[in-house]
Amino acid sequence: MRGCVIHWSNLMPTRKPSTPSVVRLNPAQSVTGTVEILIDQIKPGKNPRRSWSPEKLMQLQESIETIGIQESILVRPLRSRSGKPAYEIVDGFRRWTAATNLKFLAMRAEVRDMTDEEVVQYGLMQKILSEDLNQVDRTDAALQLLAGRLGIESEAVVALLNRASHQRKQKLDPEHPDSVTRTAGWGEIKSFLKTMGITPEGFRTNWLPILRLPSDILECVRQGKIEYTKARLIARIKDAGQRQQILGEAIAQNLSNRQISDRIAEMNQTKSAQTPEDKEFIKRFTVANRNLTGMGHELFRTIADASSDSVAPVGTVEGLYFTACLSKLAAGRVLSLIHISE
């Protein structure tokens, strides 16, 4: 394996680069420590982070332009058929992206031999500990990490947590042969979650529900537009239209949890205020509207049948005028009610 070592003064794009000195590394030698690697020899790896903030990336680039890259990225060597040195990013994708955007020639990196499994485990752990990672990706990364450590699917980890919760509620003896707490995997789960400052039950009840949020709310949380606690409140609204309305207001007006709860309570109060007559009218008008297939008399007759107040004969001029007026009034009444109906 060969690596390129370049003087640090050549990394800033505002300076004219000098001819780099190349140091050939022994292929059999285990590379450790920090070296400087050409940007075009570094390839992006698998990254658990699914969303990026353009603003934060711009801030990082401005910082790098001023003081340079303060922390080395972590890479692992790749096998190249061409024989040229190649490295895959394990940690530091944003720093590499910023350096690439700034036209850097090279950047400092720690080279470490790592297996695919070690790369995934390391990457997930770093993302979980990252302060700027959103709660959706952090929960997803934690679940993937647990699944990888136990050698099972993510769904099986969730099932194990649910089973443990059920057994605890049933007050099953922890020493019972069927107790989840006796399995080797349970010890791994407890140990890992403890490092995150959370219990298995806390992870099950407070973290995992975020992955079941409606897609529109989930994406807003992932993009950092709304906090998880607010998203959980809004997700309780079953009507998609009403949910979208409250979501938009919460983001635009930066509503607090209390304000969101009050808005939901007001919405439910308005909905429960419908009289039986209102509900019956909506039901009958909906049926009538579904059956509107003709023109002329049939159209007026169907609308008129939607109201028990129809008294004028349909076949007369008076009847046509009456039903036309009735349809206008009915439409206005339905429009005023339909937004709170299910």
Side-chain angles (χ1 to χ4, degrees), residues 41-81:
Q41 292 177 349
I42 304 174
K43 311 298 180 185
K46 297 178 180 179
N47 197 305
R49 188 189 296 268
R50 297 181 182 177
S51 58
W52 295 92
S53 169
E55 293 78 13
K56 290 186 177 181
L57 181 59
M58 185 62 66
Q59 292 174 3
L60 177 60
Q61 290 181 192
E62 293 174 354
S63 173
I64 291 176
E65 282 186 301
T66 304
I67 61 176
I69 300 176
Q70 299 300 299
E71 185 179 358
S72 302
I73 66 172
L74 176 63
V75 299
R76 66 168 178 168
L78 294 177
R79 293 182 180 180
S80 175
R81 294 181 179 179

Side-chain angles (χ1 to χ4, degrees), residues 112-306:
R112 187 187 303 177
D113 287 319
M114 301 176 71
T115 65
D116 290 344
E117 182 178 354
E118 288 173 337
V119 168
V120 172
Q121 297 286 315
Y122 182 92
L124 290 172
M125 179 58 74
Q126 291 301 308
K127 298 316 177 213
I128 292 171
L129 299 177
S130 175
E131 294 182 357
D132 64 342
L133 191 68
N134 64 76
Q135 189 65 24
V136 177
D137 288 346
R138 179 176 284 110
T139 301
D140 189 47
L143 188 57
Q144 289 185 49
L145 189 55
L146 281 172
R149 290 190 173 189
L150 298 179
I152 58 179
E153 297 295 329
S154 298
E155 293 77 8
V157 176
V158 176
L160 195 63
L161 291 169
N162 289 335
R163 182 182 168 196
S165 177
H166 177 73
Q167 289 182 351
R168 187 180 65 258
K169 292 177 181 178
Q170 297 297 320
K171 298 182 179 180
L172 182 69
D173 187 349
E175 298 302 321
H176 191 279
D178 294 335
S179 176
V180 173
T181 59
R182 291 176 56 88
T183 64
W186 186 252
E188 182 70 24
I189 291 176
K190 286 188 64 177
S191 175
F192 169 71
L193 293 178
K194 185 177 180 180
T195 63
M196 297 173 58
I198 190 171
T199 63
E201 181 63 13
F203 182 70
R204 188 187 75 88
T205 58
N206 299 324
W207 287 51
L208 290 181
I210 194 173
L211 301 180
R212 299 193 296 269
L213 290 175
S215 58
D216 52 346
I217 299 180
L218 190 68
E219 191 58 31
C220 287
V221 176
R222 176 170 279 137
Q223 294 176 5
K225 294 181 178 180
I226 190 169
E227 294 86 350
Y228 173 41
T229 53
K230 298 179 182 179
R232 290 188 67 177
L233 290 174
I234 299 173
R236 297 173 184 173
I237 304 175
K238 296 181 180 180
D239 184 88
Q242 295 174 343
R243 186 172 64 239
Q244 193 63 39
Q245 176 186 341
I246 296 296
L247 177 62
E249 293 176 356
I251 294 174
Q253 303 174 30
N254 192 26
L255 299 179
S256 65
N257 287 4
R258 187 59 171 281
Q259 290 173 318
I260 293 174
S261 298
D262 290 343
R263 295 283 178 94
I264 295 175
E266 291 174 6
M267 183 177 292
N268 292 336
Q269 217 171 27
T270 304
K271 183 177 179 180
S272 61
Q274 289 184 21
T275 65
E277 291 78 10
D278 291 334
K279 295 179 180 179
E280 179 63 21
F281 181 86
I282 292 174
K283 178 180 178 181
R284 295 173 63 185
F285 188 85
T286 301
V287 172
N289 183 63
R290 190 183 302 124
N291 295 328
L292 288 176
T293 57
M295 298 292 290
H297 295 337
E298 288 298 319
L299 173 62
F300 292 116
R301 182 180 294 111
T302 308
I303 297 176
D305 288 343

